[in-house]
Amino acid sequence: PAASTLPSGRYLVQVIRVADVTQPSKFQEEFEGGKYRLLSLDLTDGDQKFKAIEYTTVKDLSVKMPPGTKLLLSSSDQKPLHMQNGHLLLEPSVVTVLGGNVEKLVDSW
């Protein structure tokens, strides 16, 4: 199926988990593959959970981001936020890392 786009707007989401799916499953949450990494993110808007992948390298994203880190996702006519097969496709133009963490989540990280 063709990729769809999210309606124009800004979406504040929280990171639940980040993994580099180019690594063996044992190391996905600890190491990044460097030049050829592919990050998979579990996100929430506080109401629903969804998945995203790093479609184009976003240098501010990392497996070292603690759970609870806030991201601001933007979608516009000029720079749409695409969704394919139930995954948001993250690119530098649509994601801003705001930071922060949730102590309760970090403790169990």
Side-chain angles (χ1 to χ4, degrees):
S4 58
T5 59
L6 263 62
S8 291
R10 295 161 65 122
Y11 305 91
L12 182 65
V13 297
Q14 179 174 291
V15 173
I16 299 169
R17 177 179 171 269
V18 181
D20 181 353
V21 295
T22 65
Q23 299 297 309
S25 59
K26 182 177 179 181
F27 301 113
Q28 285 183 350
E29 294 182 43
E30 299 170 23
F31 302 107
E32 289 177 11
K35 185 177 178 183
Y36 300 108
R37 74 179 192 180
L38 177 61
L39 298 182
S40 172
L41 295 88
D42 292 338
L43 304 170
T44 182
D45 64 1
D47 185 35
Q48 53 189 339
K49 294 179 181 178
F50 41 96
K51 295 202 173 269
I53 61 166
E54 184 185 39
Y55 189 63
T56 305
T57 301
V58 180
K59 65 178 179 5
D60 293 337
L61 296 180
S62 165
V63 295
K64 305 285 188 224
M65 285 191 321
T69 299
K70 307 302 184 286
L71 305 179
L72 183 62
L73 306 180
S74 304
S75 185
S76 66
D77 292 337
Q78 297 81 16
K79 297 179 182 175
L81 177 53
H82 296 284
M83 179 172 249
Q84 179 82 40
N85 295 326
H87 286 75
L88 295 172
L89 305 180
L90 302 181
E91 302 178 75
S93 63
V94 300
V95 62
T96 304
V97 178
L98 300 177
N101 62 60
V102 174
E103 191 174 329
K104 207 172 193 179
L105 293 174
V106 173
D107 290 344
S108 62
W109 181 35

